[in-house]
Amino acid sequence: MYILAIESSCDETSCSIVKNGCVDVSTVILSQIDIHTNFGGVVPEIASRHHLKNITMVIEECLKKANFTMDNIDAIAITYGPGLIGSLLVGVEAAKTLAFIYNKPLIPVHHIAGHIYANNLCKKMEYPLIALVVSGGHTELVYMKDEYEFEKLGETLDDAVGESYDKVARVIGVGYPGGPVIDKMAKIGIHEYNLPIPLNDDSYNFSFSGLKSAVINLAHNYDQKGIKLNKENLAKSFQDVVVETITKKTIKALKDKNVNRLIIAGGVAANSGIRENLKKECENNKIECSYPELKYCTDNASMIGAAAYYAYKKGITADSSLNARSSVKLS
Ligand code: KG4
Ligand code: ZN
């Protein structure tokens, strides 16, 4: 089954053709990072305008790359939420139009289900498993008892982990998106600054806003006192706390649920500290740990095509009444 998938929930316009939920036949990703860098973050209105300008070209390019026409496509998949409403709308309308004109089934995909199923493009997923979803908009622990069955165990109560990386990067003036830069800086820094461990409790929930504020206050204090802050050491101190809290709660969820499979998903799954520490802890606890290739960690349409195959198997389809949803539960 060949699924043509579209993803436009944030600042990437992407189209992919995915075979049987696991083979990425063709993918085109047009990132708007360069445009939003000037503003230190994604500007929703600008993002939707660029999606609108580029979506047709991205779809055509994806078909051309695969040497396909719409006749080769069996279904259309689309991220319908959560995300930026204007950005989502562009993708949803494009997908609905294609499904209508070419008379193909339309498969709605939750963005987080997409991030989770990015793993299936690298290695066939087995169940039960725990998925740790860490991105610019999400920090969630999801239990999957079986194929395309999601039970959210916990989530962030405020900022998402990627968002806090981006904000910390902005405060210390190292650009956008901050995650990859802070990650690189942390590799050469040492743990010098004491930062609070957020929401250090027994729940599966996370909180990053207090940690982010602690970094901001520290930077301002040093600035006011005229003391030079070591940015690499601050990056390392920040990343260590993030890694510690994420690892602790993830391992707890695996043990409590008696599950020995972990998959890591989302843009922040690219983080070397999180990857290395979780891998080590999983080895110590005889837990199988996997994460997607780096190119499938950040937003892309192939992950949506992969998830859509399993959604379709469960009978999940939509009609032309499908609407974009800025916030919607994964269930
Ligand atoms: O999944 P994604 O592409 O978009 C959302 O769905 O949010 O994730 C983007 C986020 C950004 O916040 C970016 O700073 C973060 O992922 N990110 C990282 C790394 N690479 C990307 N955060 C920490 N370490 C990284 N290596
Ligand atoms: Zn995402």
Side-chain angles (χ1 to χ4, degrees):
M1 180 178 192
Y2 288 98
I3 297 181
L4 182 138
I6 298 171
E7 154 66 42
S8 69
S9 65
C10 191
D11 59 343
E12 266 94 25
T13 320
S14 180
C15 180
S16 288
I17 296 165
V18 178
K19 184 182 175 185
N20 294 343
C22 58
V23 182
D24 177 6
V25 177
S26 156
T27 291
V28 175
I29 306 175
L30 199 75
S31 173
Q32 303 176 9
I33 281 187
D34 290 348
I35 298 158
H36 299 288
T37 297
N38 301 327
F39 304 98
V42 179
V43 182
E45 182 59 29
I46 296 178
S48 25
R49 281 165 200 252
H50 280 272
H51 285 304
L52 195 58
K53 196 172 118 199
N54 296 322
I55 191 121
T56 311
M57 183 182 73
V58 167
I59 296 168
E60 281 173 356
E61 188 61 32
C62 179
L63 284 162
K64 200 167 129 198
K65 220 172 136 185
N67 212 5
F68 271 31
T69 68
M70 285 303 290
D71 291 342
N72 306 108
I73 301 296
D74 299 300
I76 312 289
I78 179 64
T79 309
Y80 71 104
L84 302 173
I85 191 69
S87 296
L88 287 164
L89 269 171
V90 176
V92 168
E93 289 309 313
K96 285 202 299 196
T97 308
L98 284 176
F100 176 72
I101 296 176
Y102 295 100
N103 196 23
K104 312 275 181 198
L106 177 65
I107 312 168
V109 176
H110 192 285
H111 186 71
I112 296 301
H115 273 305
I116 293 174
Y117 273 89
N119 280 271
N120 208 59
L121 295 162
C122 307
K123 182 172 171 278
K124 193 159 172 18
M125 283 159 58
E126 290 175 76
Y127 309 89
L129 62 79
I130 297 276
L132 167 70
V133 185
V134 275
S135 75
H138 302 271
T139 312
E140 287 173 19
L141 277 168
V142 179
Y143 170 57
M144 291 182 74
K145 196 171 160 206
D146 214 334
E147 205 168 273
Y148 222 74
E149 279 181 26
F150 309 97
E151 182 195 328
K152 189 157 75 184
L153 300 176
E155 63 185 331
T156 180
L157 302 179
D158 38 59
D159 292 359
V161 60
E163 191 182 351
S164 67
Y165 264 94
D166 294 338
K167 284 184 184 159
V168 164
R170 190 156 61 191
V171 167
I172 61 172
V174 292
Y176 172 85
V181 188
I182 301 258
D183 191 11
K184 231 184 241 167
M185 290 166 74
K187 281 188 191 151
I188 47 173
I190 55 163
H191 191 122
E192 179 187 344
Y193 304 101
N194 266 335
L195 296 167
I197 297 181
L199 208 66
N200 197 9
D201 63 5
D202 273 347
S203 77
Y204 304 120
N205 291 326
F206 301 92
S207 163
F208 292 103
S209 142
L211 174 63
K212 173 200 69 189
S213 303
V215 173
I216 295 172
N217 291 341
L218 188 99
H220 287 165
N221 267 335
Y222 272 56
D223 192 35
Q224 277 162 3
K225 289 180 188 156
I227 310 172
K228 197 172 169 341
L229 193 78
N230 184 311
K231 291 185 180 178
E232 284 76 19
N233 290 357
L234 183 59
K236 169 74 174 153
S237 309
F238 168 74
Q239 181 147 307
D240 278 355
V241 176
V242 170
V243 169
E244 185 181 334
T245 177
I246 285 184
T247 306
K248 185 187 143 199
K249 299 220 167 185
T250 306
I251 298 292
K252 181 177 184 314
L254 284 151
K255 284 186 176 168
D256 291 353
K257 283 282 179 188
N258 202 14
V259 170
N260 64 359
R261 264 182 221 107
L262 169 70
I263 60 170
I264 315 174
V268 187
N271 185 270
S272 61
I274 294 177
R275 281 182 178 230
E276 280 159 25
N277 207 51
L278 272 173
K279 202 168 156 235
K280 189 182 81 202
E281 282 303 312
C282 283
E283 268 167 25
N284 291 343
N285 289 284
K286 300 205 166 21
I287 294 163
E288 197 185 294
C289 172
S290 53
Y291 27 76
E293 269 178 59
L294 283 181
K295 64 177 178 180
Y296 295 127
C297 283
T298 44
D299 289 352
N300 64 85
S302 21
M303 66 187 199
I304 304 302
Y309 176 76
Y310 295 95
Y312 191 68
K313 268 174 79 178
K314 289 240 153 183
I316 300 171
T317 56
D319 59 24
S320 58
S321 66
L322 178 72
N323 210 346
R325 305 270 301 273
S326 59
S327 112
V328 56
K329 275 195 181 146
L330 172 68
S331 57

